[in-house]
Amino acid sequence: IVQLTIDNKKVVVEKGTTILEAAKTIGVDVPTLCHMKLEDTNFENKPGGCRVCVVEVEGRRNLAPACKTECTEGMMVNTHSVRVVNARRTVMELILSDHPFDCLVCAKSGDCELQSLAQNLGIREIKYTGAKSTYKGDESPAIIRDMDKCIMCRRCETACNEVQTVGVLSAINRGFESVVAPAFEMDLDHSTCTFCGQCVAVCPTGALTERDSSSKVMDAIVNPKKKVIVQTAPAVRAALGEEFGMEAGTLVTGKMVSALRKLGFDYVFDTDFAADLTIMEEGTELLDRLSKHLAGDKEVKLPILTSCCPGWVNFFEHQFPEMIDIPSTAKSPQQMFGAIAKTYFADQLKEKREDVVVVSVMPCLAKKYECSRDEFAVDGDPDVNISISTRELAQMIRNANLNFEALEEDDFDNPLGESTGAAVIFGTTGGVIEAAVRTAYEVHTKKPLERLDFEELRGMEGIRSATIDFDGLPINIGIAHGLGNARKLLEDIKAGKSQFHAIEIMACPGGCIGGGGQPYHHGNMEILKKRQKAIYEEDKGKTLRKSHENPFIQKLYAEFLGEPCGHKSHELLHTHYYD
Ligand code: HC0
Ligand code: SF4
């Protein structure tokens, strides 16, 4: 225990606590650009590089970086003396001297931590001018890197290397030439990047942003030859409101539907419908593999891994190519939706598939990449034409000057707009496997489930496990979110140590609610918990909460698909992976 004084307030903290952390416990906010701590995880980015968090410590000649300086007994700290503020201003002026001045048209404007700090410090001119460093651009299908805007905070490196263990980004070169980039400054597209977007989620400036596809969407909407269909992912409804100043965790499903209609989409559908479909396919595959395994078939591999997260698919294709036959072959709901929209629904509309444009609104940047994969197109026409993020949708709503909060609640169109509570929980870690359990249990045991809420599968711990009793048959379930956690479960499988029958993996911390395309949470995990709560609330409020009870799914099988994992399903709803 250490006792010290910060801004004339007594503070008692554990030994080893930094001044930054100690100040936080008494509500004193010390600004920083590089520091980032992801609560509930062990991850912290504290290179001590930006020097914005300097504070004055009595008796010391130099100002001290609060993120790197440990509290000592009797320490007297001042976080906002004139000397401190002047030093911060100088630091900011130096950072800005090597930063582009296109704030007005920057994608991050309004959400940029550098911009708001410059405002808070009242910087009105850039004193130091001269040559600026410039770097090669990189425009992958999902992420744009504009390294001229990089301030070397290294948060993206922590996200990519420590949280995700992908290891694509690192600082290269020295001095003025130094930049965070993939090896040999190759484009992300040519690296082992998974497009999870977690580097984008933590970037404080406009150095890392998504590729904006909203203008392509508007072009399709104004084209009279096209029928434009939109599908919205489960996690979008739990976060979109934040872009309009609403409290995190406010469910905006009805307002979102209303906004999409006003933007001019011909049909407003729900990815949740396809999430129910995914459960029918993936659940059947699980039960099939399980029964063969129990019958002693050594060829059948367990555990089965969920396959709906494209960041995760990229990860195992790159990093565990020897295990590509373990994940389920079911396509993701985004892609199942596209495949059904361009066959079953296009037929109902009597439209040619190329005249139907499918747009997806996703919390994710890897979804942009997923819909560009060759295997998800027919004769060059993609099943999902354009994927935009939650942030891009918010921008489109702002462009149209809609008053989002005041919009009336509206309902999705049918038939691809009806869904159950099982589908909406796909948006949070643990939700896909809980949805699968609800259906697989009833199909396997032929008995109705007595309770629908599987609390043992919920939560925010990075790796979780539970055993669910399928009427005498114990099913061991594993859950991981964040690719670093996924790696641990995969290493166990590789070493023959895994006891699981089924594992759910989501690339982003929190699952899709924490996706790289969601409103920026600036490392505040409380926001993710509120979004998670909202998702479970939506599930609770649904009349139907098991995928196999969705009447439109039942109709789809009766009229078009036949049976789950049947011939037509295999053709339209399943895929394969590449090593
Ligand atoms: Fe997800 Fe999905 S749940 S990946 O997180 O499975 O992006 O929200 O749309 O496809 O449904 C994202 C969210 C989806 C898909 C669904 C799955
Ligand atoms: Fe790394 Fe994910 Fe960013 Fe790619 S998108 S560089 S994998 S953090």
Side-chain angles (χ1 to χ4, degrees):
I1 294 277
V2 176
Q3 201 180 56
L4 71 158
T5 307
I6 299 178
D7 296 346
N8 291 325
K9 267 197 195 160
K10 289 254 180 291
V11 198
V12 180
V13 290
E14 300 265 318
K15 202 163 176 278
T17 308
T18 62
I19 297 177
L20 188 77
E21 288 165 333
K24 207 169 169 194
T25 65
I26 52 163
V28 171
D29 181 40
V30 178
T32 117
L33 282 173
C34 63
H35 181 265
M36 175 191 68
K37 185 167 186 177
L38 296 171
E39 303 294 341
D40 294 335
T41 71
N42 292 324
F43 299 111
E44 190 168 8
N45 182 60
K46 53 170 184 180
C50 76
R51 283 327 206 225
V52 166
C53 70
V54 286
V55 293
E56 199 163 355
V57 179
E58 215 173 272
R60 292 204 192 177
R61 197 150 58 98
N62 295 330
L63 295 176
C67 72
K68 281 280 193 191
T69 310
E70 284 184 12
C71 300
T72 54
E73 187 60 34
M75 201 180 224
M76 304 282 282
V77 179
N78 190 326
T79 72
H80 52 70
S81 67
V82 172
R83 192 175 160 219
V84 163
V85 173
N86 283 341
R88 283 190 195 142
R89 289 176 59 99
T90 306
V91 166
M92 274 302 282
E93 282 163 354
L94 286 167
I95 295 173
L96 293 175
S97 72
D98 190 23
H99 198 84
F101 298 152
D102 62 354
C103 271
L104 269 180
V105 291
C106 177
K108 205 63 183 285
S109 185
D111 243 324
C112 173
E113 294 178 38
L114 185 68
Q115 185 185 47
S116 53
L117 190 57
Q119 283 302 317
N120 286 350
L121 288 169
I123 310 281
R124 291 289 171 267
E125 62 170 330
I126 311 295
K127 284 197 191 139
Y128 311 103
T129 52
K132 288 188 186 180
S133 42
T134 55
Y135 306 96
K136 182 175 144 296
D138 173 351
E139 299 203 1
S140 76
I143 293 170
I144 296 190
R145 291 171 56 247
D146 179 355
M147 288 299 103
D148 296 358
K149 292 179 178 163
C150 173
I151 56 168
M152 293 300 283
C153 71
R154 323 284 286 268
R155 287 187 192 176
C156 58
E157 275 186 72
T158 298
C160 189
N161 305 339
E162 290 177 37
V163 181
Q164 301 296 61
T165 66
V166 176
V168 164
L169 297 174
S170 59
I172 55 173
N173 304 334
R174 294 190 158 222
F176 217 47
E177 302 288 306
S178 59
V179 65
V180 176
F184 313 113
E185 282 194 72
M186 69 171 88
D187 288 347
L188 283 178
D189 209 9
H190 299 135
S191 73
T192 55
C193 173
T194 65
F195 300 118
C196 71
Q198 286 304 303
C199 52
V200 176
V202 298
C203 177
T205 73
L208 295 167
T209 53
E210 68 268 38
R211 171 186 282 279
D212 186 344
S213 305
S214 53
S215 58
K216 275 200 205 158
V217 176
M218 296 315 290
D219 289 348
I221 286 174
V222 295
N223 186 336
K225 290 210 199 87
K226 306 285 182 189
K227 282 274 174 276
V228 190
I229 293 174
V230 64
Q231 52 160 321
T232 61
V236 175
R237 66 207 69 193
L240 178 63
E242 292 164 36
E243 286 278 327
F244 302 95
M246 295 160 93
E247 179 57 30
T250 311
L251 271 174
V252 294
T253 318
K255 290 184 193 297
M256 171 181 76
V257 172
S258 183
L260 290 164
R261 243 183 223 119
K262 284 186 191 298
L263 288 173
F265 289 99
D266 295 303
Y267 295 92
V268 182
F269 287 143
D270 202 352
T271 313
D272 290 22
F273 170 84
D276 279 333
L277 187 56
T278 300
I279 289 303
M280 300 303 292
E281 295 294 322
E282 210 167 67
T284 306
E285 201 184 340
L286 162 70
L287 290 177
D288 181 52
R289 279 211 220 170
L290 198 64
S291 63
K292 285 183 180 149
H293 178 80
L294 292 173
D297 187 340
K298 294 271 179 292
E299 292 292 298
V300 170
K301 296 211 171 149
L302 282 179
I304 186 171
L305 311 176
T306 59
S307 57
C308 41
C309 166
W312 149 236
V313 169
N314 288 339
F315 183 73
F316 72 68
E317 284 185 332
H318 289 145
Q319 314 247 355
F320 293 86
E322 69 282 15
M323 287 163 74
I324 55 171
D325 53 346
I326 303 184
S328 160
T329 59
K331 287 182 186 174
S332 73
Q334 165 175 273
Q335 294 307 139
M336 284 200 188
F337 182 96
I340 295 298
K342 292 224 172 168
T343 52
Y344 175 72
F345 188 62
D347 289 349
Q348 285 186 6
L349 291 180
K350 300 198 174 29
E351 295 282 352
K352 291 198 287 256
R353 66 168 284 142
E354 54 274 26
D355 289 332
V356 174
V357 177
V358 176
V359 176
S360 70
V361 184
M362 294 280 141
C364 172
L365 302 187
K367 289 283 175 196
K368 290 175 184 280
Y369 163 79
E370 182 182 51
C371 65
S372 74
R373 287 177 70 128
D374 290 342
E375 65 270 28
F376 298 140
V378 174
D379 299 330
D381 177 58
D383 291 342
V384 178
N385 299 75
I386 310 165
S387 178
I388 60 169
S389 65
T390 311
R391 292 191 296 265
E392 286 163 83
L393 172 60
Q395 186 56 50
M396 287 178 70
I397 295 170
R398 282 192 290 268
N399 290 352
N401 209 27
L402 301 178
N403 181 351
F404 187 76
E405 254 198 291
L407 288 176
E408 304 240 321
E409 313 238 324
D410 221 340
D411 273 337
F412 289 105
D413 291 310
N414 276 325
L416 312 184
E418 183 71 36
S419 64
T420 70
V424 74
I425 58 174
F426 266 58
T428 170
T429 167
V432 177
I433 209 73
E434 181 171 341
V437 164
R438 289 182 193 172
T439 286
Y441 179 94
E442 292 203 348
V443 172
H444 177 75
T445 65
K446 302 190 177 53
K447 289 182 182 170
L449 257 184
E450 273 162 26
R451 71 184 168 110
L452 287 175
D453 296 313
F454 287 86
E455 297 294 342
E456 60 271 51
L457 299 172
R458 301 182 181 182
M460 270 292 181
E461 296 94 282
I463 296 180
R464 308 192 293 286
S465 62
T467 300
I468 310 285
D469 178 16
F470 272 37
D471 201 22
L473 176 66
I475 302 291
N476 300 333
I477 288 174
I479 296 166
H481 57 121
L483 292 171
N485 293 320
R487 180 184 291 282
K488 290 181 196 150
L489 294 189
L490 285 177
E491 296 288 1
D492 281 354
I493 299 174
K494 212 165 139 182
K497 289 195 296 195
S498 181
Q499 298 301 317
F500 295 122
H501 298 109
I503 298 179
E504 177 204 288
I505 295 179
M506 286 290 177
C508 295
C512 290
I513 49 170
Q518 291 282 62
Y520 293 108
H521 56 69
H522 301 285
N524 181 353
M525 302 300 271
E526 286 307 308
I527 292 180
L528 297 194
K529 287 186 193 157
K530 288 181 183 167
R531 292 178 188 164
Q532 186 180 54
K533 204 161 154 255
I535 293 263
Y536 286 122
E537 257 168 47
E538 175 134 320
D539 168 33
K540 265 224 148 79
K542 291 266 194 179
T543 329
L544 297 177
R545 297 180 62 199
K546 294 173 240 167
S547 297
H548 55 289
E549 291 180 348
N550 183 331
F552 287 90
I553 292 285
Q554 291 168 352
K555 194 161 173 254
L556 179 70
Y557 278 106
E559 283 180 358
F560 185 66
L561 287 171
E563 54 175 354
C565 291
H567 178 70
K568 194 135 195 160
S569 289
H570 266 289
E571 193 187 305
L572 289 174
L573 308 179
H574 289 256
T575 185
H576 46 272
Y577 307 107
Y578 294 95
D579 54 20

